[in-house]
Amino acid sequence: MTDVEGRAVPVDSDPLGTVLADVLASSHRLAPRAIPRLVEDTGRRLGLTGARVYVADLQQHALVALPTREQALRLGAGDGTVELETVLVDNSLAGHAYRTETAQLSRPGAGGGGPERTGWIPVVDGIGRIGVLRVTAPELDPPLLHRCEALAGLVAMILATKQPYSDILTRTMRTRPMSLQAELLWAFLPPRTIGTPTVTSSALLEPAYDVGGDTYDHSLAGDLLHLTLLDAMGHDLASGGCSATALAACRSTRRAGGSLDDIAVQIDRTLEQWLPERLLTCVIAVLDTSTGRLDWINCGHPAPLLIRDRRIVTGALDRPPHPPLGLTGYGLPPPPVHTANLEPGDRLLLFTDGVTDARSATGELFGEERLADIVVRALADGLPAPEALRRLIQQILVHQNQRLNDDATVLLAEWHPERG
């Protein structure tokens, strides 16, 4: 057997630390198309007969195998006929591993594979789901599974660092072309899920390939979790530009030490100067993860929901909303900052009106009650926050027969200091 450099490598003879160190060393200048070969060779060094990486598509409907070197070259040349192996997230053992973020093993001989066992290991960067690692061996005992999990963790780091500048990886994660305004917004978005031992934040955005004016942001600064949800008027390139500009103003002010009302004022001024007559609603919040104190402003946006002990605390975060941003010329005062104290285990749900206002073919609104019920049920089942949101978005799409009339964005933050 040889590695990616063509050197002979003895099978299953190296300590785990040596193998992972070699992978890390190889990864620094690794071309994205060489990732599958590196993973396969590494798997054999660990005692596997096979190892292959699958990444979730943008809407998390399927897990797509990373292209082989030949497929990657064809994709890079613009060949639209390349067919990559896919596995459904909602109807497979691989999907179960992805949804629950736990390793799954096939039965011996399942699928006609003889005595070989197949395992599906979640590929998670920090707490953000990327995909799964398929591994095969005559026997997947606990020590070997431990090696596989270590490899999956390192693969997640490699994918996270390569994806931002790899069109091959980006195309693998997309099932169709993206609109110009969506391409603009996705370029600004942070990872879908971030977190620490004391807090988790996860967000989803639909329609993924044609989003117009919605965007989100979440970031960590010491003990503070910053949350932002923006909804610009319209559903065109100008709407995407409005949201992107507002998000840049938000980040610039926040990173310069500005307060919540400073951020709102700066967004307002930026819209007045560069995008007059454009309106934008938002919720901008800060959660102190050491105390549970939540501060937020609401400018013309649906009120956040507080989930406690598997139920919605009705009206807990309802406050009179400030008018939307973009009305600087009307002499309005800065928006007020509201405050609430969370309890350990509390979850904060932010959403745009495209979620609750989604209408079925018969005109029935999706509504806040249905929104809350789906999220609470998923969390009660013990599912991770990213999976709870994925199920919610699926239900919204089903409600509108897979065609959204407006952007639908949700962000779920959980304060869990007991885990820290």
Side-chain angles (χ1 to χ4, degrees):
M1 191 200 76
T2 60
D3 63 13
V4 291
E5 304 292 338
R7 298 169 298 195
V9 176
V11 176
D12 197 22
S13 61
D14 296 322
L16 177 61
T18 300
V19 175
L20 298 184
D22 289 347
V23 173
L24 184 60
S26 299
S27 71
H28 296 309
R29 296 181 180 235
L30 186 72
R33 67 171 182 267
I35 294 175
R37 177 67 184 275
L38 175 64
V39 172
E40 181 181 1
D41 289 348
T42 304
R44 293 185 183 280
R45 290 181 64 183
L46 294 177
L48 300 168
T49 57
R52 191 169 189 187
V53 181
Y54 294 69
V55 293
D57 77 291
L58 190 60
Q59 294 175 299
Q60 302 179 87
H61 294 162
L63 297 162
V64 186
L66 288 188
T68 63
R69 183 178 184 279
E70 293 73 18
Q71 289 173 324
L73 290 173
R74 289 170 58 193
L75 282 171
D79 186 346
T81 66
V82 179
E83 293 187 6
L84 302 175
E85 180 187 348
T86 62
V87 182
L88 295 178
V89 169
D90 285 312
N91 189 27
S92 67
L93 197 61
H96 188 63
Y98 178 80
R99 297 192 311 269
T100 61
E101 300 179 23
T102 57
Q104 301 295 318
L105 301 180
S106 69
R107 298 186 304 275
E116 287 244 314
R117 298 290 301 273
T118 299
W120 298 94
I121 315 298
V123 174
V124 182
D125 178 41
I127 58 173
R129 305 183 298 184
I130 295 178
V132 293
L133 174 67
R134 186 186 71 186
V135 298
T136 56
E139 181 57 45
L140 291 169
D141 56 19
L144 184 53
L145 279 177
H146 172 69
R147 289 171 166 237
C148 295
E149 290 168 349
L151 176 58
L154 191 50
V155 167
M157 294 176 62
I158 293 172
L159 290 173
T161 57
K162 302 293 183 183
Q163 195 274 331
Y165 62 85
S166 170
D167 281 356
I168 295 300
L169 291 176
T170 298
R171 291 185 65 177
T172 301
M173 296 175 181
R174 294 183 183 181
T175 59
R176 60 186 177 90
M178 184 171 284
S179 70
L180 185 58
Q181 62 264 32
E183 196 76 65
L184 173 66
L185 282 179
W186 278 103
F188 275 78
L189 290 178
R192 285 187 293 216
T193 302
I194 64 170
T196 68
T198 59
V199 70
T200 301
S201 179
S202 189
L204 279 183
L205 178 63
E206 284 285 350
Y209 295 93
D210 195 36
V211 65
D214 280 14
T215 194
Y216 68 85
D217 195 20
H218 44 202
S219 66
L220 293 157
D223 290 331
L224 302 180
L225 171 66
H226 295 270
L227 305 170
T228 303
L229 203 60
L230 306 174
D231 184 359
M233 175 183 67
H235 194 85
D236 53 14
L237 181 59
S239 301
C242 180
S243 285
T245 301
L247 187 57
C250 174
R251 288 173 174 169
S252 174
T253 307
R254 183 182 75 218
R255 291 166 181 171
S259 61
L260 288 178
D261 48 357
D262 291 333
I263 292 172
V265 168
Q266 185 57 44
I267 293 175
D268 226 11
R269 290 173 178 170
T270 301
L271 295 181
E272 180 189 30
Q273 180 178 1
W274 299 106
L275 295 164
E277 301 181 2
R278 281 282 168 174
L279 300 182
L280 177 143
T281 70
C282 66
V283 170
I284 305 173
V286 178
L287 173 62
D288 188 330
T289 63
S290 65
T291 65
R293 172 175 169 145
L294 175 71
D295 295 321
W296 79 100
I297 62 173
N298 185 340
C299 299
H301 205 81
L305 297 180
L306 179 63
I307 302 174
R308 176 175 293 159
D309 296 329
R310 301 180 181 181
R311 65 181 182 85
I312 297 294
V313 182
T314 304
L317 304 179
D318 286 353
R319 304 289 189 277
H322 190 78
L325 299 180
L327 297 171
T328 306
Y330 291 84
L332 297 173
V337 177
H338 309 296
T339 299
N341 292 309
L342 303 190
E343 297 180 5
D346 279 356
R347 296 175 173 99
L348 182 68
L349 182 63
L350 311 181
F351 56 95
T352 59
D353 57 10
V355 174
T356 50
D357 291 352
R359 290 183 180 272
S360 67
T362 60
E364 180 186 6
L365 289 174
F366 190 80
E368 189 174 295
E369 184 176 344
R370 194 193 314 256
L371 160 68
D373 181 67
I374 292 171
V375 174
V376 169
R377 284 177 180 271
L379 295 173
D381 288 341
L383 294 173
E387 182 59 21
L389 293 191
R390 192 186 74 90
R391 292 193 177 190
L392 171 61
I393 289 292
Q394 283 187 325
Q395 290 300 312
I396 295 169
L397 288 168
V398 168
H399 186 74
Q400 287 199 293
N401 196 27
Q402 305 299 321
R403 294 184 64 87
L404 294 178
N405 295 322
D406 192 9
D407 299 339
T409 305
V410 285
L411 186 152
L412 181 65
E414 179 184 0
W415 184 48
H416 39 75
E418 69 280 357
R419 300 184 199 171

